[in-house]
Amino acid sequence: MKAMSTTATQGQSPIQSNEEFRERLRELPPSAKLVAKVLESDHPLSQGQLAKESLLPDRTVRYALNRLDDADLVESRYSFRDARKQVYYLDV
C-alpha cells in the first residue's frame, strides 16, 4: 500500500466541509463507504482492526483504504503501540 500523505493529491483540495466529504464518499464503492463508517470512531484503527470491525476480508479493506486515499478522505500514521503497523483515520 502506498504511503498516505497529508497533502492533497490528484488536484483535489483538502476537505472543507462535511457536505464535501459526503459528496466525495458518494462516488466510492460500498466497501470504502463501510470502512469510512467504521473509521468514524474516535480512535485510529489498523487494517486488521478495520477488517475485524467491518467483517470484510483484509484484501477488500486494503482496496477500500486505497480508494479512500485516492479521494483524500483517509490519512495514516504509525501506531504508537506497534511502530510496525499503520493506523488509519478519516481526514475531516
Side-chain angles (χ1 to χ4, degrees):
M1 172 177 270
K2 69 177 184 167
M4 311 245 172
S5 67
T6 57
T7 59
T9 59
Q10 298 179 0
Q12 293 181 335
S13 62
I15 300 297
Q16 299 297 323
S17 69
N18 189 39
E19 185 176 315
E20 183 181 351
F21 173 82
R22 293 177 59 80
E23 186 61 36
R24 287 189 192 178
L25 192 60
R26 185 173 286 118
E27 303 299 321
L28 298 178
S31 60
K33 292 173 185 170
L34 177 57
V35 168
K37 187 68 176 168
V38 171
L39 284 173
E40 285 182 341
S41 64
D42 291 340
H43 55 281
L45 297 171
S46 69
Q47 182 178 326
Q49 291 168 316
L50 282 166
K52 183 177 178 181
E53 292 293 320
S54 66
L55 303 176
L56 293 171
D58 285 334
R59 183 176 176 177
T60 304
V61 171
R62 190 169 44 253
Y63 172 80
L65 287 169
N66 282 328
R67 299 296 68 78
L68 288 165
D69 182 43
D70 291 345
D72 292 325
L73 298 176
V74 71
E75 295 291 329
S76 68
R77 64 169 171 77
Y78 287 101
S79 172
F80 295 131
R81 293 186 179 174
D82 186 348
R84 298 171 296 175
K85 294 183 180 180
Q86 295 255 337
V87 291
Y88 302 89
Y89 55 94
L90 294 178
D91 182 27
V92 291

Coordinates of all heavy atoms in Angstrom, one line a residue:
M1 N 0.8 -1.2 0.0 CA 0.0 0.0 0.0 C 0.9 1.2 0.0 O 1.9 1.3 0.7 CB -0.9 0.0 1.2 CG -1.7 1.3 1.4 SD -2.8 1.2 2.8 CE -4.2 0.6 1.9
K2 N 0.5 2.2 -0.8 CA 1.3 3.4 -0.8 C 1.2 4.2 0.4 O 0.2 4.1 1.1 CB 1.0 4.2 -2.1 CG -0.4 4.8 -2.0 CD -0.7 5.7 -3.2 CE -2.0 6.4 -3.0 NZ -2.3 7.4 -3.9
A3 N 2.1 5.0 0.7 CA 2.0 5.9 1.9 C 1.0 6.9 1.7 O 0.9 7.5 0.7 CB 3.4 6.5 2.2
M4 N 0.2 7.1 2.7 CA -0.9 8.1 2.7 C -0.3 9.4 3.1 O 0.5 9.5 4.0 CB -2.0 7.7 3.6 CG -2.5 6.3 3.5 SD -4.1 6.2 2.9 CE -4.3 4.5 2.7
S5 N -0.6 10.5 2.3 CA 0.0 11.7 2.6 C -1.0 12.7 3.2 O -2.2 12.5 3.2 CB 0.5 12.3 1.3 OG -0.6 12.7 0.4
T6 N -0.4 13.8 3.8 CA -1.2 14.8 4.4 C -1.5 15.9 3.4 O -2.3 16.8 3.8 CB -0.5 15.4 5.7 OG1 0.7 15.9 5.3 CG2 -0.4 14.3 6.7
T7 N -1.0 15.8 2.2 CA -1.3 16.9 1.2 C -2.3 16.4 0.2 O -2.4 15.2 0.0 CB 0.0 17.3 0.5 OG1 0.6 16.1 -0.1 CG2 1.1 17.9 1.4
A8 N -2.9 17.3 -0.4 CA -3.9 16.9 -1.4 C -3.2 16.3 -2.6 O -2.1 16.8 -3.0 CB -4.7 18.1 -1.8
T9 N -3.8 15.3 -3.3 CA -3.2 14.7 -4.4 C -4.3 14.7 -5.6 O -5.4 15.0 -5.3 CB -2.8 13.2 -4.2 OG1 -4.0 12.5 -3.8 CG2 -1.7 13.2 -3.1
Q10 N -3.8 14.5 -6.8 CA -4.6 14.4 -7.9 C -5.5 15.6 -8.1 O -6.6 15.6 -8.5 CB -5.5 13.2 -7.9 CG -4.8 11.9 -7.8 CD -5.6 10.7 -7.8 OE1 -6.9 10.8 -7.8 NE2 -5.0 9.5 -7.8
G11 N -5.0 16.8 -7.7 CA -5.7 18.0 -7.9 C -6.8 18.3 -7.0 O -7.6 19.3 -7.1
Q12 N -7.1 17.5 -6.0 CA -8.2 17.7 -5.1 C -7.6 18.5 -3.9 O -6.5 18.3 -3.4 CB -8.8 16.4 -4.6 CG -9.5 15.6 -5.7 CD -10.1 14.3 -5.2 OE1 -9.6 13.7 -4.2 NE2 -11.1 13.9 -5.9
S13 N -8.5 19.3 -3.3 CA -8.1 20.1 -2.2 C -8.5 19.4 -0.9 O -9.4 18.5 -1.0 CB -8.7 21.5 -2.2 OG -10.1 21.3 -2.2
P14 N -7.9 19.7 0.2 CA -8.4 19.1 1.5 C -9.9 19.3 1.7 O -10.5 20.3 1.2 CB -7.6 19.9 2.6 CG -6.4 20.4 1.8 CD -6.9 20.7 0.4
I15 N -10.5 18.5 2.5 CA -11.9 18.5 2.8 C -12.2 19.8 3.5 O -11.6 20.2 4.5 CB -12.3 17.3 3.6 CG1 -12.1 16.0 2.9 CG2 -13.8 17.4 4.0 CD1 -12.8 15.8 1.6
Q16 N -13.2 20.6 3.0 CA -13.6 21.8 3.6 C -14.9 21.7 4.5 O -15.1 22.5 5.3 CB -13.8 22.9 2.5 CG -12.5 23.2 1.8 CD -11.4 23.7 2.6 OE1 -11.6 24.5 3.5 NE2 -10.2 23.3 2.3
S17 N -15.7 20.7 4.2 CA -17.0 20.6 4.9 C -17.5 19.2 4.9 O -17.0 18.3 4.1 CB -18.0 21.5 4.2 OG -18.4 20.9 2.9
N18 N -18.4 18.9 5.8 CA -19.0 17.6 5.9 C -19.7 17.3 4.6 O -19.7 16.1 4.1 CB -20.0 17.5 7.1 CG -20.4 16.1 7.3 OD1 -19.7 15.2 7.2 ND2 -21.7 16.0 7.7
E19 N -20.3 18.3 4.0 CA -21.0 18.1 2.7 C -20.1 17.6 1.6 O -20.4 16.7 0.8 CB -21.8 19.4 2.3 CG -22.6 19.2 1.1 CD -23.4 20.5 0.8 OE1 -23.9 21.1 1.7 OE2 -23.4 20.9 -0.4
E20 N -18.9 18.3 1.5 CA -17.9 17.9 0.6 C -17.4 16.5 0.8 O -17.2 15.7 -0.1 CB -16.7 18.9 0.6 CG -15.7 18.5 -0.5 CD -14.5 19.5 -0.5 OE1 -14.6 20.5 0.3 OE2 -13.6 19.2 -1.2
F21 N -17.2 16.1 2.1 CA -16.8 14.8 2.5 C -17.8 13.7 2.0 O -17.5 12.8 1.3 CB -16.7 14.7 4.0 CG -16.4 13.3 4.5 CD1 -15.1 12.8 4.5 CD2 -17.4 12.5 5.0 CE1 -14.9 11.5 4.9 CE2 -17.2 11.2 5.4 CZ -15.9 10.7 5.4
R22 N -19.1 14.0 2.2 CA -20.2 13.1 1.8 C -20.2 13.0 0.3 O -20.5 11.9 -0.3 CB -21.5 13.5 2.4 CG -21.5 13.3 3.9 CD -22.8 13.8 4.5 NE -24.0 13.1 4.0 CZ -24.4 11.9 4.4 NH1 -23.8 11.3 5.3 NH2 -25.5 11.4 3.8
E23 N -20.0 14.1 -0.4 CA -20.0 14.1 -1.9 C -18.9 13.2 -2.4 O -19.1 12.4 -3.3 CB -19.9 15.5 -2.4 CG -20.1 15.6 -3.9 CD -21.5 15.1 -4.4 OE1 -22.5 15.3 -3.7 OE2 -21.5 14.5 -5.5
R24 N -17.7 13.4 -1.9 CA -16.6 12.5 -2.4 C -16.8 11.1 -2.0 O -16.5 10.2 -2.8 CB -15.3 13.0 -1.7 CG -14.7 14.3 -2.3 CD -13.4 14.5 -1.7 NE -12.9 15.9 -2.0 CZ -11.8 16.3 -1.6 NH1 -10.9 15.6 -1.0 NH2 -11.4 17.6 -1.9
L25 N -17.4 10.8 -0.9 CA -17.7 9.4 -0.4 C -18.7 8.8 -1.3 O -18.7 7.6 -1.6 CB -18.1 9.4 1.0 CG -18.2 8.1 1.8 CD1 -16.8 7.4 1.8 CD2 -18.7 8.3 3.2
R26 N -19.7 9.5 -1.8 CA -20.8 9.0 -2.6 C -20.3 8.3 -3.8 O -20.9 7.4 -4.3 CB -21.7 10.2 -2.9 CG -23.0 9.8 -3.6 CD -24.0 10.9 -3.8 NE -24.6 11.2 -2.5 CZ -24.5 12.4 -1.9 NH1 -23.8 13.4 -2.4 NH2 -25.1 12.6 -0.7
E27 N -19.2 8.8 -4.4 CA -18.7 8.2 -5.6 C -17.9 6.9 -5.4 O -17.5 6.3 -6.4 CB -17.8 9.2 -6.3 CG -18.5 10.6 -6.6 CD -19.7 10.4 -7.5 OE1 -19.6 9.6 -8.5 OE2 -20.7 11.1 -7.3
L28 N -17.6 6.5 -4.2 CA -16.8 5.4 -3.9 C -17.6 4.1 -3.8 O -18.8 4.1 -3.6 CB -16.0 5.6 -2.6 CG -15.1 6.8 -2.6 CD1 -14.4 7.0 -1.3 CD2 -14.0 6.7 -3.7
P29 N -16.9 2.9 -3.9 CA -17.5 1.6 -3.8 C -18.1 1.4 -2.4 O -17.6 2.0 -1.4 CB -16.5 0.6 -4.2 CG -15.2 1.3 -4.1 CD -15.5 2.8 -4.2
P30 N -19.0 0.5 -2.3 CA -19.6 0.2 -1.0 C -18.6 -0.2 0.1 O -18.8 0.2 1.3 CB -20.6 -1.0 -1.2 CG -20.9 -0.8 -2.7 CD -19.7 -0.3 -3.3
S31 N -17.6 -0.9 -0.3 CA -16.6 -1.3 0.8 C -15.9 -0.1 1.3 O -15.6 0.0 2.5 CB -15.5 -2.3 0.2 OG -14.9 -1.7 -0.9
A32 N -15.6 0.9 0.5 CA -15.0 2.1 1.0 C -15.9 2.9 1.9 O -15.5 3.5 2.9 CB -14.5 3.0 -0.2
K33 N -17.2 2.9 1.6 CA -18.2 3.6 2.4 C -18.3 2.9 3.8 O -18.4 3.6 4.8 CB -19.5 3.6 1.7 CG -19.6 4.4 0.5 CD -20.9 4.3 -0.2 CE -20.8 5.1 -1.5 NZ -21.9 4.8 -2.4
L34 N -18.2 1.6 3.8 CA -18.3 0.8 5.1 C -17.1 1.1 5.9 O -17.2 1.4 7.1 CB -18.5 -0.7 4.8 CG -18.5 -1.6 6.0 CD1 -19.6 -1.2 7.0 CD2 -18.6 -3.0 5.6
V35 N -15.9 1.1 5.3 CA -14.7 1.3 6.0 C -14.7 2.8 6.6 O -14.3 3.0 7.7 CB -13.4 1.1 5.2 CG1 -12.2 1.6 5.8 CG2 -13.3 -0.4 4.9
A36 N -15.2 3.7 5.8 CA -15.3 5.1 6.3 C -16.2 5.2 7.5 O -15.9 5.9 8.5 CB -15.8 6.0 5.2
K37 N -17.3 4.4 7.4 CA -18.3 4.4 8.6 C -17.6 3.9 9.8 O -17.8 4.4 10.9 CB -19.5 3.6 8.2 CG -20.6 3.7 9.2 CD -21.2 5.0 9.2 CE -22.4 5.1 10.1 NZ -22.9 6.4 10.4
V38 N -16.8 2.8 9.7 CA -16.1 2.2 10.8 C -15.1 3.2 11.4 O -14.9 3.3 12.6 CB -15.5 0.9 10.4 CG1 -14.6 0.4 11.5 CG2 -16.5 -0.2 10.1
L39 N -14.5 4.0 10.5 CA -13.4 4.9 10.9 C -14.0 6.2 11.6 O -13.3 7.0 12.0 CB -12.6 5.3 9.7 CG -11.5 4.3 9.3 CD1 -10.8 4.8 8.0 CD2 -10.5 4.1 10.4
E40 N -15.3 6.3 11.6 CA -15.9 7.4 12.3 C -15.8 7.4 13.8 O -16.0 8.3 14.5 CB -17.4 7.5 11.9 CG -17.7 8.1 10.6 CD -19.2 8.2 10.3 OE1 -20.0 7.6 11.0 OE2 -19.5 9.0 9.3
S41 N -15.2 6.2 14.3 CA -15.0 6.1 15.7 C -13.9 7.1 16.2 O -13.2 7.7 15.3 CB -14.5 4.7 16.0 OG -13.3 4.4 15.4
D42 N -13.8 7.2 17.4 CA -12.9 8.2 18.0 C -11.4 7.9 17.9 O -10.5 8.8 18.1 CB -13.2 8.5 19.5 CG -14.5 9.2 19.7 OD1 -15.0 9.8 18.7 OD2 -15.1 9.1 20.8
H43 N -11.0 6.7 17.6 CA -9.6 6.3 17.6 C -9.2 5.7 16.2 O -10.0 5.1 15.6 CB -9.3 5.3 18.7 CG -10.2 4.1 18.7 ND1 -11.5 4.1 19.1 CD2 -10.0 2.9 18.2 CE1 -12.1 2.9 19.0 NE2 -11.2 2.1 18.4
P44 N -8.0 5.9 15.8 CA -7.5 5.3 14.6 C -7.5 3.8 14.7 O -7.3 3.2 15.8 CB -6.1 5.9 14.4 CG -6.0 7.1 15.3 CD -7.0 6.8 16.4
L45 N -7.6 3.1 13.5 CA -7.6 1.6 13.5 C -6.7 1.1 12.5 O -6.4 1.7 11.5 CB -9.0 1.1 13.2 CG -10.2 1.5 14.1 CD1 -11.5 1.1 13.5 CD2 -10.0 0.8 15.5
S46 N -6.1 0.0 12.8 CA -5.2 -0.7 11.9 C -6.0 -1.4 10.8 O -7.2 -1.6 10.9 CB -4.3 -1.7 12.6 OG -5.1 -2.8 13.0
Q47 N -5.3 -1.9 9.8 CA -6.0 -2.6 8.7 C -6.7 -3.8 9.3 O -7.8 -4.2 8.9 CB -5.1 -3.0 7.6 CG -5.8 -3.6 6.4 CD -4.8 -4.0 5.3 OE1 -3.9 -3.2 5.0 NE2 -5.0 -5.1 4.6
G48 N -6.0 -4.5 10.1 CA -6.6 -5.7 10.7 C -7.8 -5.4 11.6 O -8.8 -6.2 11.6
Q49 N -7.7 -4.3 12.4 CA -8.9 -3.9 13.2 C -10.0 -3.5 12.3 O -11.2 -3.8 12.6 CB -8.5 -2.8 14.1 CG -7.5 -3.2 15.2 CD -6.9 -2.0 15.9 OE1 -6.6 -1.0 15.3 NE2 -6.9 -2.0 17.2
L50 N -9.8 -2.9 11.2 CA -10.8 -2.5 10.3 C -11.5 -3.7 9.7 O -12.7 -3.8 9.5 CB -10.3 -1.6 9.1 CG -10.0 -0.2 9.5 CD1 -9.2 0.5 8.5 CD2 -11.3 0.6 9.7
A51 N -10.7 -4.7 9.3 CA -11.2 -6.0 8.8 C -12.1 -6.7 9.8 O -13.2 -7.1 9.5 CB -10.1 -6.9 8.3
K52 N -11.7 -6.7 11.1 CA -12.5 -7.3 12.1 C -13.8 -6.6 12.4 O -14.9 -7.2 12.5 CB -11.6 -7.4 13.4 CG -12.3 -8.0 14.6 CD -11.4 -8.1 15.8 CE -12.1 -8.7 16.9 NZ -11.3 -8.8 18.1
E53 N -13.7 -5.2 12.4 CA -14.9 -4.4 12.7 C -15.9 -4.4 11.6 O -17.1 -4.4 11.8 CB -14.5 -3.0 13.1 CG -13.7 -2.9 14.4 CD -14.6 -3.2 15.6 OE1 -15.8 -2.8 15.6 OE2 -14.1 -3.9 16.5
S54 N -15.4 -4.4 10.4 CA -16.3 -4.3 9.2 C -16.7 -5.6 8.7 O -17.6 -5.7 7.8 CB -15.6 -3.6 8.1 OG -14.5 -4.3 7.6
L55 N -16.1 -6.7 9.1 CA -16.4 -8.1 8.7 C -16.0 -8.3 7.2 O -16.5 -9.1 6.5 CB -17.8 -8.5 8.9 CG -18.3 -8.4 10.4 CD1 -19.8 -8.7 10.4 CD2 -17.5 -9.3 11.2
L56 N -15.1 -7.4 6.7 CA -14.6 -7.5 5.3 C -13.3 -8.2 5.3 O -12.5 -8.1 6.3 CB -14.4 -6.1 4.7 CG -15.7 -5.3 4.5 CD1 -15.3 -3.9 4.1 CD2 -16.6 -5.9 3.4
P57 N -12.9 -8.9 4.2 CA -11.6 -9.6 4.1 C -10.5 -8.5 4.1 O -10.8 -7.3 3.6 CB -11.7 -10.3 2.8 CG -13.1 -10.4 2.4 CD -13.8 -9.2 3.1
D58 N -9.3 -8.9 4.5 CA -8.2 -7.9 4.5 C -8.0 -7.3 3.1 O -7.7 -6.1 3.0 CB -6.9 -8.6 4.9 CG -6.8 -8.9 6.4 OD1 -7.5 -8.2 7.2 OD2 -6.1 -9.8 6.8
R59 N -8.1 -8.1 2.1 CA -7.8 -7.6 0.8 C -8.9 -6.5 0.4 O -8.5 -5.5 -0.2 CB -7.9 -8.7 -0.2 CG -7.6 -8.4 -1.6 CD -7.6 -9.6 -2.5 NE -7.4 -9.2 -3.9 CZ -7.3 -10.1 -4.9 NH1 -7.4 -11.4 -4.6 NH2 -7.2 -9.7 -6.1
T60 N -10.1 -6.7 0.8 CA -11.2 -5.7 0.5 C -10.9 -4.4 1.3 O -11.1 -3.3 0.8 CB -12.5 -6.3 0.8 OG1 -12.7 -7.5 0.0 CG2 -13.7 -5.4 0.5
V61 N -10.5 -4.6 2.5 CA -10.2 -3.4 3.4 C -9.0 -2.6 2.7 O -9.1 -1.4 2.6 CB -9.9 -3.8 4.8 CG1 -9.3 -2.6 5.6 CG2 -11.1 -4.4 5.5
R62 N -8.0 -3.3 2.3 CA -6.9 -2.6 1.6 C -7.4 -1.9 0.4 O -7.0 -0.7 0.1 CB -5.8 -3.7 1.2 CG -4.5 -3.1 0.8 CD -3.4 -4.1 0.7 NE -3.8 -5.4 0.1 CZ -3.9 -6.6 0.7 NH1 -3.7 -6.6 2.0 NH2 -4.3 -7.7 0.1
Y63 N -8.2 -2.5 -0.4 CA -8.8 -1.9 -1.6 C -9.6 -0.6 -1.2 O -9.4 0.5 -1.8 CB -9.7 -2.8 -2.4 CG -10.5 -2.2 -3.5 CD1 -9.9 -2.0 -4.7 CD2 -11.8 -1.9 -3.3 CE1 -10.6 -1.4 -5.7 CE2 -12.5 -1.3 -4.3 CZ -11.9 -1.0 -5.5 OH -12.6 -0.4 -6.6
A64 N -10.4 -0.7 -0.2 CA -11.2 0.4 0.3 C -10.3 1.5 0.8 O -10.6 2.7 0.5 CB -12.2 -0.1 1.4
L65 N -9.3 1.2 1.5 CA -8.4 2.2 2.0 C -7.7 3.0 0.9 O -7.5 4.2 0.9 CB -7.3 1.6 3.0 CG -7.9 1.2 4.3 CD1 -6.8 0.4 5.1 CD2 -8.3 2.5 5.1
N66 N -7.3 2.2 -0.2 CA -6.7 2.8 -1.4 C -7.7 3.8 -2.0 O -7.3 4.9 -2.5 CB -6.2 1.8 -2.3 CG -4.9 1.2 -1.9 OD1 -4.1 1.8 -1.3 ND2 -4.7 -0.1 -2.3
R67 N -9.0 3.4 -2.2 CA -10.0 4.2 -2.8 C -10.2 5.5 -1.9 O -10.4 6.6 -2.4 CB -11.3 3.5 -3.0 CG -11.3 2.3 -3.9 CD -11.0 2.5 -5.3 NE -9.6 2.9 -5.6 CZ -8.5 2.1 -5.7 NH1 -8.6 0.8 -5.4 NH2 -7.3 2.6 -5.9
L68 N -10.3 5.3 -0.6 CA -10.4 6.5 0.3 C -9.2 7.4 0.2 O -9.4 8.6 0.2 CB -10.6 6.0 1.7 CG -12.0 5.3 2.0 CD1 -11.9 4.6 3.4 CD2 -13.1 6.4 2.0
D69 N -8.0 6.8 0.1 CA -6.8 7.7 -0.1 C -6.9 8.4 -1.4 O -6.5 9.6 -1.4 CB -5.6 6.8 0.0 CG -4.3 7.6 -0.1 OD1 -4.2 8.7 0.6 OD2 -3.4 7.1 -0.8
D70 N -7.2 7.7 -2.5 CA -7.3 8.4 -3.8 C -8.3 9.6 -3.7 O -8.1 10.6 -4.4 CB -7.8 7.4 -4.8 CG -6.8 6.4 -5.2 OD1 -5.6 6.5 -4.8 OD2 -7.2 5.4 -5.8
A71 N -9.3 9.5 -2.9 CA -10.3 10.6 -2.7 C -9.9 11.6 -1.6 O -10.7 12.5 -1.3 CB -11.7 10.0 -2.4
D72 N -8.7 11.4 -1.1 CA -8.2 12.3 0.0 C -9.1 12.3 1.2 O -9.4 13.3 1.8 CB -7.9 13.7 -0.5 CG -6.8 13.8 -1.4 OD1 -5.8 13.0 -1.2 OD2 -6.8 14.6 -2.3
L73 N -9.7 11.1 1.6 CA -10.6 11.1 2.7 C -10.0 10.4 3.9 O -10.6 10.4 5.0 CB -11.9 10.3 2.3 CG -12.7 11.0 1.2 CD1 -13.9 10.1 0.8 CD2 -13.2 12.4 1.6
V74 N -8.9 9.7 3.8 CA -8.3 9.0 4.9 C -6.8 9.4 5.0 O -6.2 9.7 4.0 CB -8.5 7.5 4.7 CG1 -7.6 6.9 3.6 CG2 -8.2 6.7 6.0
E75 N -6.3 9.3 6.2 CA -4.9 9.6 6.5 C -4.4 8.4 7.3 O -5.2 7.7 7.9 CB -4.7 10.9 7.3 CG -5.1 12.1 6.5 CD -4.1 12.4 5.4 OE1 -2.9 12.1 5.5 OE2 -4.6 13.0 4.4
S76 N -3.1 8.3 7.4 CA -2.5 7.2 8.2 C -1.3 7.8 9.0 O -0.7 8.8 8.6 CB -2.1 6.0 7.4 OG -1.0 6.4 6.5
R77 N -0.9 7.0 10.0 CA 0.3 7.3 10.8 C 0.7 6.0 11.4 O -0.1 5.0 11.4 CB 0.1 8.3 11.9 CG -0.9 7.9 12.9 CD -0.9 8.8 14.1 NE -2.0 8.6 15.0 CZ -2.0 7.6 15.9 NH1 -1.0 6.7 16.0 NH2 -3.0 7.5 16.7
Y78 N 1.9 5.9 11.9 CA 2.4 4.7 12.5 C 1.7 4.6 13.9 O 1.5 5.6 14.6 CB 3.9 4.7 12.7 CG 4.6 4.4 11.3 CD1 5.2 5.4 10.6 CD2 4.6 3.1 10.8 CE1 5.7 5.2 9.4 CE2 5.2 2.9 9.6 CZ 5.7 3.9 8.9 OH 6.3 3.7 7.7
S79 N 1.4 3.4 14.3 CA 0.8 3.1 15.6 C 1.7 3.4 16.7 O 2.9 3.1 16.6 CB 0.4 1.6 15.7 OG -0.1 1.3 17.0
F80 N 1.2 4.0 17.8 CA 2.0 4.3 19.0 C 2.3 3.0 19.7 O 3.3 2.9 20.4 CB 1.3 5.3 19.9 CG 1.2 6.7 19.3 CD1 0.0 7.3 19.3 CD2 2.3 7.3 18.7 CE1 -0.2 8.6 18.7 CE2 2.1 8.6 18.1 CZ 0.9 9.2 18.2
R81 N 1.4 2.0 19.6 CA 1.6 0.8 20.3 C 2.5 -0.2 19.6 O 3.2 -1.0 20.2 CB 0.2 0.1 20.5 CG -0.6 0.9 21.5 CD -1.9 0.2 21.8 NE -2.7 1.0 22.7 CZ -3.9 0.7 23.1 NH1 -4.5 -0.4 22.6 NH2 -4.5 1.5 23.9
D82 N 2.5 -0.2 18.3 CA 3.3 -1.1 17.4 C 3.8 -0.3 16.2 O 3.0 -0.2 15.2 CB 2.5 -2.3 17.1 CG 3.4 -3.3 16.3 OD1 4.5 -3.0 15.9 OD2 2.9 -4.5 16.2
A83 N 5.0 0.2 16.2 CA 5.5 1.0 15.1 C 5.6 0.3 13.8 O 5.8 0.9 12.8 CB 6.9 1.6 15.5
R84 N 5.4 -1.0 13.8 CA 5.4 -1.8 12.5 C 4.1 -1.6 11.8 O 4.0 -2.0 10.6 CB 5.7 -3.3 12.8 CG 7.0 -3.5 13.4 CD 7.1 -5.0 13.9 NE 6.1 -5.2 14.9 CZ 5.8 -6.4 15.5 NH1 6.5 -7.4 15.1 NH2 4.9 -6.5 16.4
K85 N 3.1 -1.1 12.5 CA 1.7 -1.1 11.9 C 1.3 0.4 11.6 O 1.7 1.3 12.4 CB 0.7 -1.7 12.8 CG 0.9 -3.2 13.0 CD -0.2 -3.7 13.9 CE -0.1 -5.2 14.1 NZ -1.2 -5.7 14.9
Q86 N 0.5 0.5 10.6 CA -0.1 1.8 10.3 C -1.5 1.8 10.9 O -2.2 0.8 10.9 CB -0.2 2.0 8.8 CG 1.2 2.1 8.1 CD 1.5 3.6 7.7 OE1 0.6 4.4 7.5 NE2 2.7 3.8 7.5
V87 N -2.0 3.0 11.3 CA -3.3 3.1 11.7 C -4.0 4.2 10.8 O -3.3 5.1 10.4 CB -3.5 3.5 13.2 CG1 -3.1 2.3 14.1 CG2 -2.7 4.7 13.6
Y88 N -5.2 4.1 10.6 CA -5.9 4.9 9.6 C -7.1 5.7 10.4 O -7.7 5.2 11.3 CB -6.5 4.1 8.5 CG -5.5 3.3 7.8 CD1 -5.1 2.0 8.2 CD2 -4.8 3.8 6.7 CE1 -4.1 1.3 7.6 CE2 -3.8 3.1 6.1 CZ -3.4 1.9 6.6 OH -2.4 1.2 6.0
Y89 N -7.3 6.9 9.9 CA -8.4 7.7 10.4 C -8.9 8.6 9.3 O -8.2 8.9 8.3 CB -7.8 8.6 11.6 CG -6.6 9.4 11.3 CD1 -6.7 10.7 10.9 CD2 -5.3 8.8 11.4 CE1 -5.6 11.5 10.6 CE2 -4.2 9.6 11.1 CZ -4.3 10.9 10.7 OH -3.2 11.6 10.4
L90 N -10.1 9.1 9.4 CA -10.7 10.0 8.4 C -10.0 11.4 8.4 O -9.7 11.9 9.5 CB -12.2 10.1 8.6 CG -13.0 8.8 8.4 CD1 -14.5 9.1 8.7 CD2 -12.8 8.3 7.0
D91 N -9.9 11.9 7.3 CA -9.3 13.3 7.1 C -10.4 14.3 7.0 O -10.6 14.8 5.9 CB -8.3 13.3 5.9 CG -7.6 14.6 5.7 OD1 -7.5 15.3 6.8 OD2 -7.3 14.9 4.6
V92 N -11.1 14.6 8.1 CA -12.2 15.6 8.0 C -12.0 16.6 9.1 O -11.3 16.5 10.0 CB -13.6 14.9 8.2 CG1 -13.9 14.1 7.0 CG2 -13.6 14.1 9.5

